[in-house]
Amino acid sequence: MEHALSPVALAELRRPRPYPAVSVLTPTHRREPYNAQDPVRLRNVVAEAKKQLESDPSVTRERRVDVVEQLDRALSEVDLAHAEDGLVIFAAPGEHQVWSLGRTVPERVVLSDTFLTRNLVSAQAAERPFWVLSVSADRVTLWNGGPERVTEDHSGGFPLTRTHENFDAERREQIGDTPSTFRDEGTRHFLRDADTALTAVLRNDPRPLYVTGEQAALSAMDEVGTVIREAVHVPHGGLANGTPDAVWQAIGPIVAAEVRRNTDAVARELSTARGRKEFAAGVDEVWQSAREGRIRLLAVEENYRITVRDDGDHLIPARSGDLDAREDIVDEIVEQCLETGADVRFVPDGTLGDEAGIAGVLRY
């Protein structure tokens, strides 16, 4: 199952497909007893997708057989033992993908000539992904960071390793010779290569960056490279060869502190915007502004969801399952704002006070 959505992956998902491109969405659960219903619910929603394929006269028998086979393959790859809060299956002629999301989704089946991506986009924004680069004299490791965990990432050819005759970085650190290790021209060339590889990763998938290593390693990277100068430095050695748990233990409190600072900054921006009358609040007003491309900064409380119906002029509250109900309107707003270049921030529940879970700073 896929977890990390990069801009490159999103662009690939959004390209047109031969009809039918099937999107199957279902909420899942991380813990008992709620996760007991997930296998049955998943089988039922996939069965509904097959039923819609069978009843669609525009789908040829050959394509129907192909897409049904892709759905079955996708279903076999689902790992509900490690489920998060939502699951998305994409299937089209000749291909399928399974995405696990840290944000709930409405149960839905959509047949179109493109995949339904807005729930993935919103979940990715809510997870606030980041990169961690762990640096030592003979190994540089890249970690993909998200809520409560990091995993090793192999983008850009990472991890990078260096071999050298009579080179023993661990021994040099033990005898206190680390500074001379990082003044060595071979080491500096190795770190320049790491900087170049990281530049390519950030170009394809820009995120906040944390860099770990001994202080000498961080100083050397600063001197020979460019991309880590704006990163958050974490002077903690040994993580280039560390475990994901060890990296998270070192980086987690710093990430949490950054989240708190960002939340405070968002609250200040919203307060200033209110005074300047550059402010929108509530799902209807924010939706209107988002469609006009007027939102510069969107703030959404992490667990804010609302079901609405569009009466033509405004969004009005509706019940789940109502005719024409839009259960993922918040995800639609998030995707629309990202499409128009807005900065989207998810903040802890209760941060927005009286603003009904969602608010924005307007461009004009």
Side-chain angles (χ1 to χ4, degrees):
M1 295 194 298
E2 303 285 346
H3 294 268
L5 180 68
S6 70
V8 173
L10 179 60
E12 167 61 19
L13 285 173
R14 282 177 164 164
R15 69 172 174 81
R17 260 74 179 176
Y19 187 87
V22 181
S23 302
V24 178
L25 290 74
T26 185
T28 52
H29 302 83
R30 299 172 188 251
R31 298 176 181 86
E32 297 178 339
Y34 310 103
N35 58 7
Q37 64 184 290
D38 291 347
V40 173
R41 193 166 189 173
L42 176 59
R43 286 196 299 269
N44 288 344
V45 73
V46 170
E48 173 61 26
K50 293 178 180 179
K51 181 179 177 182
Q52 290 191 26
L53 286 168
E54 183 72 34
S55 62
D56 190 333
S58 63
V59 179
T60 64
R61 181 183 182 281
E62 180 182 8
R63 284 200 173 170
R64 183 175 67 252
V65 169
D66 188 344
V67 176
V68 166
E69 181 181 347
Q70 298 298 330
L71 284 170
D72 287 337
R73 289 181 182 179
L75 193 59
S76 71
E77 295 172 11
V78 173
D79 180 11
L80 289 177
H82 297 92
E84 296 177 275
D85 301 310
L87 186 74
V88 177
I89 292 175
F90 295 132
E95 63 173 321
H96 67 274
Q97 293 190 40
V98 180
W99 289 83
S100 178
L101 308 183
R103 183 170 169 83
T104 190
V105 298
E107 187 168 287
R108 174 175 293 172
V109 174
V110 177
L111 275 61
S112 183
D113 57 1
T114 58
F115 292 137
L116 183 67
T117 60
R118 61 174 172 255
N119 305 97
L120 270 73
V121 172
S122 182
Q124 181 78 349
E127 288 184 354
R128 294 184 288 265
F130 56 88
W131 295 117
V132 180
L133 191 76
S134 295
V135 180
S136 71
D138 59 349
R139 183 182 175 92
V140 180
T141 306
L142 183 67
W143 308 90
N144 171 34
E148 302 179 359
R149 68 178 180 180
V150 299
T151 56
E152 188 172 349
D153 195 283
H154 301 292
S155 301
F158 286 100
L160 304 184
T161 58
R162 173 186 178 225
T163 57
H164 192 284
E165 186 178 356
N166 298 324
F167 179 76
D168 188 346
E170 184 176 356
R171 178 178 178 277
R172 289 187 176 189
E173 290 178 4
Q174 289 173 346
I175 66 175
D177 197 30
T178 301
S180 63
T181 299
F182 288 100
R183 286 196 296 268
D184 174 76
E185 188 53 39
T187 302
R188 294 168 74 83
H189 182 76
F190 172 64
L191 296 181
R192 287 191 196 98
D193 289 344
D195 181 81
T196 300
L198 181 61
T199 299
V201 171
L202 291 173
R203 185 184 304 119
N204 289 329
D205 191 357
R207 304 181 187 179
L209 174 66
Y210 299 83
V211 182
T212 76
E214 299 289 343
Q215 186 57 58
L218 299 178
S219 298
M221 280 293 291
D222 262 344
E223 291 174 10
V224 303
T226 58
V227 294
I228 80 159
R229 293 175 186 171
E230 301 301 320
V232 177
H233 290 200
V234 183
H236 189 302
L239 298 180
N241 289 288
T243 64
D245 284 344
V247 175
W248 179 251
Q249 289 298 319
I251 207 78
I254 297 167
V255 172
E258 284 291 304
V259 169
R260 288 192 295 271
R261 281 194 288 272
N262 287 336
T263 299
D264 292 342
V266 168
R268 288 193 298 271
E269 281 210 58
L270 291 171
S271 179
T272 300
R274 188 185 290 106
R276 293 177 178 173
K277 302 189 185 303
E278 298 173 350
F279 180 76
V283 67
D284 184 46
E285 187 176 348
V286 169
W287 172 237
Q288 299 288 344
S289 298
R291 288 195 299 177
E292 297 166 1
R294 296 178 60 202
I295 293 183
R296 177 174 64 80
L297 168 67
L298 177 71
V300 185
E301 292 187 352
E302 289 169 345
N303 293 300
Y304 177 61
R305 314 292 298 185
I306 186 171
T307 301
V308 299
R309 182 164 44 83
D310 189 345
D311 71 356
D313 295 316
H314 297 282
L315 299 180
I316 58 177
R319 292 180 300 179
S320 178
D322 283 357
L323 185 65
D324 298 329
R326 297 163 75 167
E327 298 187 39
D328 53 357
I329 188 63
V330 175
D331 290 356
E332 289 190 51
I333 292 171
V334 169
E335 185 179 48
Q336 178 65 34
C337 287
L338 289 170
E339 284 287 317
T340 55
D343 183 9
V344 176
R345 307 283 189 91
F346 282 80
V347 297
D349 294 347
T351 299
L352 301 182
D354 297 331
E355 315 309 342
I358 189 166
V361 177
L362 303 180
R363 292 189 170 102
Y364 57 90

